[in-house]
Amino acid sequence: MEKIIEESKQGESLVLENKPENTKKLFIESYGCAMNFSDSEIVASILSENGYNTTQILEEADLVLVNTCSIRDKAEQTVRKRLEKYNAVKRINPKMKVGVLGCMAERLKSQFLEEEKIVDLVVGPDAYKDLPNLLSEVEEGRDAINVILSKDETYGDISPVRLMSNGITALVSITRGCDNMCTFCVVPFTRGRERSREPQSIMKEIQDLWDKGFKEITLLGQNVDSYLWYGGGLKKDFATATEMQKATAVDFDQLLEMVAVGFPKMRIRFSTSNPQDMHESVLHVIAKHNNICKHIHLPVQSGSNRILKEMNRLHTREEYMTLIDKIRSIIPNSSISQDMIAGFPTETEQDHQDTLSLMEYVKYNFGYMYSYSERPGTLAGRKMEDDVTDETKARRLQEIVDMQQKHAWARSEEFIGQTVEVLVEKVSKKSTEEFSGRNSQSITVVFPKENYKIGDFVNVKINSCTSGTLKGEAVGLSAMN
């Protein structure tokens, strides 16, 4: 499961600079994970070259696209409600076309097009370059669909427009798809097998961002740690690569080193990691470079070995704890965050207690916690009975959240008295007199504006905190400026 973009940005309609020669209007919304938001930038870039400017006014759009997520049932229900809204507008503006992109599109293609007739086109995550052709089909009165999963599409040749951008931070996709067949997850079925993007195209995109004044990038993938470029193709086929391909292959620690050295004044994050694929070499690269953020998002999902096996997570509780010990030893100032699922099928009270005891061992800085919801098409959905009651799931989730809250407070308090480097991202939500940004550990920091500006790296002395926010005062610009 991948980090979900914060709730306030879910369903945000996205806008980029208009081209005067473009005559059609595109309204595009995104739901779900960071990969979906990154994909929407690719789609907008393709359509910008094909006559479309973006709009935030739904009623005036010629084309409405919703980029969907199948990770959680709630996301699917939200998208269905939005499709009803689009179709109500479509009755007033019959020329308007509606399309579904992304993971949900792949999974519910026939339902959307044939049974419910609520969309005109359905486009899977690997077919965005086919959008101009599909739109031509729609213009001629035919339904259009392309959900074919690719073995090699990485969109490395598309320069994404930055839709929700503050001009400071950006997402850079480095892998697509996933080979880890976790029984609760739809990603391998909706995004295909894992393949990596050519390193030079990644460096070129980061150079373009640097030239435009961006200060921080997040290297993005369903599983960034298993990045492996050997000339193209699926990761699972690396075993049959030539000796030359194997000798010149680039893996994640090498890519991370390349980016850190190539852009010493740019801050680097990455997400999402998988415990079974995170190698010690990556930890040493993080420790070595000041511009690589000291935060590792390390989903565990459960603290019970029995449930981890049922989930087909290819790590044990003990292996995970050993990895945590390694992180603490090599990067002592690193923050660690988690994903956790409460109430997976057959989960007993003892399994739940194992999760709580693992949390007590790690004491995460923050996390993303959910109760299990069955996803059709997954192995768990097909083979396992969802046998934990909603009441039990809710209670266990609350106990996980309560424990996380306690640990978040304790971890935040550790920063009091320290001076941390903060990249100023925006004006604080609570006060127009304060700036907000994150430190290297990905914890939000707020401080009085004074004469600083958005995009500055500022050293801030921390005086107080809440469980999720550090508060302090600026003591000067950092060496990263």
Side-chain angles (χ1 to χ4, degrees):
M1 189 178 294
E2 189 176 335
K3 178 185 167 183
I4 301 290
I5 290 280
E6 64 186 76
E7 207 64 42
S8 64
K9 290 182 178 170
Q10 294 291 321
E12 209 165 78
S13 60
L14 309 176
V15 170
L16 60 147
E17 206 171 314
N18 283 347
K19 287 185 173 177
E21 66 273 22
N22 286 354
T23 56
K24 291 177 278 193
K25 293 191 173 174
L26 164 70
F27 180 93
I28 183 167
E29 287 183 340
S30 305
Y31 292 88
C33 68
M35 192 60 101
N36 271 9
F37 283 73
S38 175
D39 278 1
S40 287
E41 295 179 340
I42 288 166
V43 168
S45 184
I46 291 166
L47 290 177
S48 173
E49 297 302 312
N50 285 272
Y52 285 87
N53 284 328
T54 50
T55 178
Q56 282 190 303
I57 303 165
L58 175 62
E59 290 73 13
E60 70 177 25
D62 298 289
L63 175 63
V64 175
L65 297 175
V66 57
N67 200 342
T68 60
C69 173
S70 273
I71 288 284
R72 286 189 290 165
D73 185 56
K74 183 186 170 195
E76 284 201 8
Q77 298 313 318
T78 304
V79 168
R80 282 194 172 279
K81 286 198 181 82
R82 292 303 289 158
L83 288 170
E84 286 168 19
K85 165 76 174 166
Y86 301 158
N87 278 284
V89 174
K90 201 174 174 182
R91 285 193 282 276
I92 305 160
N93 176 12
K95 292 199 310 251
M96 188 174 97
K97 304 299 178 192
V98 175
V100 170
L101 313 174
C103 297
M104 199 171 157
E106 202 284 331
R107 196 170 74 70
L108 296 175
K109 49 192 178 286
S110 56
Q111 223 169 315
F112 283 157
L113 270 175
E114 292 152 25
E115 293 165 36
E116 299 179 31
K117 300 194 186 306
I118 49 175
V119 297
D120 302 291
L121 74 159
V122 174
V123 191
D126 289 348
Y128 298 142
K129 284 182 189 166
D130 198 28
L131 264 165
N133 300 329
L134 295 170
L135 287 167
S136 299
E137 291 284 305
V138 171
E139 290 302 325
E140 289 173 26
R142 294 188 288 273
D143 289 337
I145 180 168
N146 185 343
V147 292
I148 295 166
L149 292 173
S150 166
K151 290 184 176 181
D152 49 24
E153 183 59 82
T154 62
Y155 299 109
D157 57 332
I158 304 281
S159 180
V161 295
R162 302 296 162 180
L163 290 164
M164 284 189 335
S165 177
N166 53 8
I168 306 299
T169 63
L171 304 170
V172 175
S173 177
I174 66 165
T175 72
R176 294 185 76 81
C178 187
D179 288 347
N180 297 324
M181 304 296 281
C182 300
T183 58
F184 55 79
C185 186
V186 294
V187 165
F189 308 107
T190 59
R191 286 187 173 271
R193 299 306 295 258
E194 192 174 300
R195 63 268 185 207
S196 297
R197 186 175 157 194
E198 197 267 323
Q200 290 312 318
S201 79
I202 295 168
M203 294 295 282
K204 186 178 172 213
E205 184 176 336
I206 298 170
Q207 181 66 56
D208 181 56
L209 290 165
W210 175 253
D211 292 344
K212 288 173 178 166
F214 283 78
K215 300 294 181 72
E216 178 184 287
I217 51 137
T218 300
L219 302 176
L220 195 63
Q222 249 76 36
N223 183 7
V224 288
D225 300 272
S226 65
Y227 175 89
L228 181 65
W229 171 261
Y230 60 98
L234 299 177
K235 181 174 181 184
K236 72 179 182 67
D237 296 334
F238 181 64
T240 58
T242 66
E243 290 309 309
M244 177 59 82
Q245 283 176 318
K246 286 179 179 174
T248 56
V250 176
D251 59 16
F252 185 55
D253 62 338
Q254 292 168 303
L255 178 71
L256 201 54
E257 176 93 23
M258 202 186 298
V259 176
V261 170
F263 301 94
K265 295 289 189 182
M266 189 169 239
R267 204 189 239 188
I268 302 150
R269 300 187 186 276
F270 59 88
S271 185
T272 294
S273 296
N274 194 299
Q276 79 211 38
D277 294 307
M278 176 161 261
H279 302 295
E280 191 175 317
S281 55
V282 170
L283 303 179
H284 288 293
V285 173
I286 297 167
K288 178 176 161 190
H289 295 284
N290 286 335
N291 59 330
I292 303 178
C293 289
K294 307 303 184 261
H295 164 233
I296 295 173
H297 183 59
L298 201 62
V300 64
Q301 312 302 0
S302 172
S304 156
N305 277 337
R306 192 183 71 77
I307 292 295
L308 289 170
K309 196 170 180 184
E310 291 289 328
M311 290 175 163
N312 196 35
R313 299 288 287 172
L314 302 177
H315 62 86
T316 63
R317 169 194 177 91
E318 291 74 24
E319 286 164 344
Y320 185 89
M321 289 159 90
T322 300
L323 179 54
I324 294 291
D325 293 344
K326 248 181 212 170
I327 294 168
R328 300 266 188 241
S329 151
I330 297 167
I331 322 166
N333 60 337
S334 179
S335 63
I336 302 172
S337 54
Q338 45 85 349
D339 285 351
M340 207 72 79
I341 297 173
F344 190 77
T346 77
E347 185 185 73
T348 64
E349 205 54 41
Q350 183 54 55
D351 295 324
H352 172 58
Q353 291 304 318
D354 287 348
T355 292
L356 294 177
S357 71
L358 178 78
M359 291 179 73
E360 195 60 62
Y361 183 85
V362 180
K363 295 183 173 63
Y364 295 99
N365 294 75
F366 54 95
Y368 304 91
M369 298 148 284
Y370 314 97
S371 58
Y372 174 74
S373 69
E374 189 178 282
R375 310 313 301 126
T378 60
L379 196 64
R382 294 199 308 272
K383 304 272 174 114
M384 298 177 191
E385 185 191 345
D386 188 2
D387 59 354
V388 181
T389 66
D390 288 346
E391 292 76 17
T392 302
K393 283 180 189 173
R395 173 182 59 79
R396 289 177 185 170
L397 177 61
Q398 193 56 55
E399 288 174 10
I400 288 169
V401 168
D402 289 347
M403 180 168 280
Q404 181 53 59
Q405 185 80 348
K406 181 183 84 169
H407 292 155
W409 266 106
R411 289 294 185 197
S412 290
E413 284 170 349
E414 290 172 0
F415 286 101
I416 293 175
Q418 288 187 32
T419 297
V420 299
E421 183 186 74
V422 179
L423 172 58
V424 182
E425 294 179 40
K426 58 190 176 185
V427 175
S428 168
K429 278 190 273 194
K430 293 195 174 167
S431 167
T432 55
E433 299 306 306
E434 292 182 323
F435 275 137
S436 171
R438 286 174 299 163
N439 65 0
S440 177
Q441 289 76 16
S442 204
I443 312 295
T444 297
V445 180
V446 296
F447 64 95
K449 280 180 171 177
E450 297 181 38
N451 295 319
Y452 299 101
K453 61 186 187 298
I454 289 173
D456 282 344
F457 285 99
V458 181
N459 288 324
V460 178
K461 184 170 185 225
I462 304 304
N463 300 321
S464 64
C465 69
T466 67
S467 63
T469 305
L470 306 177
K471 299 173 182 178
E473 56 194 348
V475 293
L477 291 168
S478 87
M480 277 286 282
N481 290 285

